[in-house]
Amino acid sequence: MKQKVNPYEVEGKIDYDKLIKEFGVKKITPEVLSEIQKITGELHPYLKREIFFAYRDLKKVLDEYKKGNKFFLYTGCGPSGPIHLGHISTWRFTKWLQEKFDVELWFQFTDDEKFLYKNMSYDEIQKWTYENMLDVIALGFDPKKTHFLIDTKHAGIIYPEAIKVAKKITFSSIKAAFGFTDSNNIGSIFYTAMQTVPVFLPNILRNENRPCLIPLGIDQDVHFRLSRDVVEKLGHEKPAIIHSKFMVPLTGTEGKMSSSNPGSAILMTDSPSEVKRKINKYAFSGGRDTVEEHRKLGGNVDVDVACQWLKYFEFDDEKLKKIYEDYSSGKLLSGEVKKILIDKINDFLAVHQKKRREAVKLIDKFIYKV
Ligand code: TRP
């Protein structure tokens, strides 16, 4: 399938170098990594493993930081279903950034977007907004430094700025960027303006002038490509962005995970036996047809989903390297790598699900008070 990457469609086997050129972003180089490490003291595994692999304007934000002008982080979630493992890699990394740089995070829940784009009722979307907030909180963000914006609830502060953005984006550029036609609903055409506002809203609310850094999955870059210049024309600074790759679906190496395709994703609420069942049943294997062949020729770590997913869960570089070596040489069998992954994910989810239950009481602390 041909590669397609925009916020509403991710298809095909993704060629990330090609995306870097098409989107006009920069690749994260060892120099950029060492700039980050100078400040943070260590590098997150997602940086070392090129899961976060590209950026816009990042150096500027780091320079400002060194001069004492802290940035704020901005990212978001479109609430239209359960959170799965594919969503959280960006947010786990965002949490690390919050901790290491000691900065504020503005987190947008785009209930308007999902209502406009999905065949779901307003009430269903509100239910998912609540459920998704619990998962975000469970990841451990600092309640004193994290502010949730819910588009329909915070419309009073977002909308006056959104119209200023919307006035400077034409219908034809939206059409070209998202492949819209005349039959798209008129709300969806406006939406990019709503997603742009948190780039500068904190500065308006606080009467400050801080740079903004947005960690995101690279499909979301499209919104900001449309609005970065607009933001500047409105008298604010363009945001810096750091882009991540997509976690491959359980079933193979094309496209991205999705909760509407049950075989492709593991949900944050899945039980240990469900995790085991899904991985054993669906995880695409890079192994050989028979054990004898596998022992002789070894497996292919690049297509083996269990091996690929371990990059997200086995943070010990030495251990991961050993697993890759042993799988490639045939010493480790597919079933054995799957077992390692199942245990890692279940350990992670046990902690997450406990924190998720506790999050119910914390929601109020996170929602921004106007
Ligand atoms: N549109 C995003 C989604 O569908 C949610 C979102 C809002 C977002 N603001 C963002 C994502 C900023 C990344 C960065 O999931």
Side-chain angles (χ1 to χ4, degrees):
M1 199 182 277
K2 202 173 162 291
Q3 158 167 326
K4 201 168 198 184
V5 177
N6 75 57
Y8 305 106
E9 291 156 305
V10 175
E11 284 171 8
K13 169 129 183 69
I14 317 290
D15 177 341
Y16 288 101
D17 287 327
K18 198 169 145 207
L19 267 193
I20 286 179
K21 285 201 203 90
E22 268 175 27
F23 282 26
V25 298
K26 293 207 172 75
K27 197 182 171 85
I28 296 181
T29 57
E31 292 76 57
V32 178
L33 290 182
S34 89
E35 281 297 306
I36 297 174
Q37 188 162 9
K38 263 184 227 154
I39 301 170
T40 56
E42 60 174 27
L43 287 177
H44 193 280
Y46 293 178
L47 284 170
K48 287 189 268 187
R49 297 173 188 177
E50 296 185 15
I51 290 170
F52 276 82
F53 73 109
Y55 68 94
R56 294 180 188 273
D57 287 344
L58 185 63
K59 288 179 182 153
K60 218 171 65 188
V61 172
L62 296 177
D63 285 345
E64 282 293 303
Y65 186 90
K66 282 189 274 188
K67 282 189 246 156
N69 187 17
K70 277 190 185 176
F71 56 87
F72 65 86
L73 293 160
Y74 160 42
T75 192
C77 163
S80 67
I83 298 303
H84 55 62
L85 296 180
H87 293 116
I88 61 161
S89 44
T90 311
W91 305 336
R92 289 176 83 185
F93 180 65
T94 303
K95 169 173 188 273
W96 181 83
L97 291 172
Q98 174 174 68
E99 214 174 272
K100 291 290 164 186
F101 289 91
D102 186 31
V103 289
E104 305 234 337
L105 163 65
W106 294 77
F107 201 109
Q108 181 179 38
F109 289 87
T110 57
D111 57 344
D112 56 342
E113 174 188 25
K114 295 297 151 174
F115 174 73
L116 290 163
Y117 280 91
K118 299 270 174 172
N119 189 14
M120 291 173 101
S121 73
Y122 183 79
D123 288 345
E124 278 172 280
I125 297 288
Q126 294 313 306
K127 180 194 134 207
W128 288 120
T129 305
Y130 175 81
E131 293 292 325
N132 292 179
M133 285 195 288
L134 298 181
D135 283 304
V136 172
I137 292 170
L139 292 173
F141 293 105
D142 179 349
K144 290 194 207 73
K145 296 205 178 78
T146 306
H147 314 285
F148 288 177
L149 295 169
I150 305 160
D151 283 354
T152 63
K153 303 292 170 292
H154 293 90
I157 51 173
I158 300 175
Y159 191 69
E161 302 306 322
I163 57 173
K164 295 175 196 165
V165 175
K167 198 172 182 176
K168 296 199 185 302
I169 302 179
T170 64
F171 184 25
S172 64
S173 46
I174 293 286
K175 266 187 177 168
F178 300 115
F180 286 179
T181 65
D182 284 355
S183 54
N184 275 87
N185 73 60
I186 60 175
S188 61
I189 299 163
F190 179 80
Y191 170 71
T192 291
M194 294 295 284
Q195 183 154 329
T196 301
V197 172
V199 166
F200 55 84
L201 186 66
N203 283 330
I204 293 181
L205 296 172
R206 302 269 167 90
N207 197 17
E208 287 178 346
N209 193 13
R210 294 187 187 279
C212 169
L213 171 60
I214 315 174
L216 47 64
I218 189 153
D219 57 322
Q220 294 293 322
D221 184 78
V222 182
H223 288 296
F224 300 106
R225 208 156 65 221
L226 282 164
S227 67
R228 278 162 48 85
D229 291 343
V230 172
V231 165
E232 198 168 45
K233 279 186 213 147
L234 294 174
H236 313 288
E237 273 212 45
K238 287 182 185 175
I241 301 180
I242 183 159
H243 307 80
S244 79
K245 296 178 182 169
F246 308 112
M247 196 171 166
V248 293
L250 252 192
T251 42
T253 46
E254 296 211 341
K256 68 169 187 175
M257 233 181 281
S258 148
S259 17
S260 39
N261 174 3
S264 77
I266 285 175
L267 311 183
M268 305 313 288
T269 48
D270 279 347
S271 67
S273 59
E274 189 63 7
V275 170
K276 185 171 171 197
R277 188 188 70 83
K278 282 187 182 172
I279 292 178
N280 283 331
K281 178 164 176 189
Y282 295 114
F284 186 83
S285 168
R288 304 283 172 171
D289 291 342
T290 65
V291 174
E292 293 71 52
E293 257 186 83
H294 190 88
R295 293 276 186 229
K296 201 161 76 203
L297 303 168
N300 181 350
V301 295
D302 294 327
V303 299
D304 188 87
V305 171
C307 286
Q308 290 304 313
W309 277 26
L310 276 169
K311 282 188 192 161
Y312 292 80
F313 293 98
E314 178 52 78
F315 280 12
D316 184 324
D317 291 331
E318 287 306 311
K319 278 192 188 159
L320 186 71
K321 192 165 154 246
K322 182 95 175 52
I323 292 168
Y324 273 38
E325 281 169 5
D326 289 351
Y327 191 70
S328 307
S329 73
K331 199 168 155 198
L332 260 186
L333 301 174
S334 293
E336 292 167 331
V337 183
K338 285 188 180 189
K339 169 92 174 68
I340 298 173
L341 179 69
I342 291 165
D343 290 344
K344 272 280 160 194
I345 291 181
N346 279 336
D347 287 350
F348 177 78
L349 287 184
V351 176
H352 184 84
Q353 289 169 6
K354 178 168 174 285
K355 288 200 192 150
R356 197 180 188 281
R357 287 189 292 273
E358 294 163 0
V360 174
K361 295 185 291 274
L362 298 173
I363 278 199
D364 200 48
K365 287 200 174 70
F366 281 88
I367 298 176
Y368 181 70
K369 303 284 175 311
V370 180

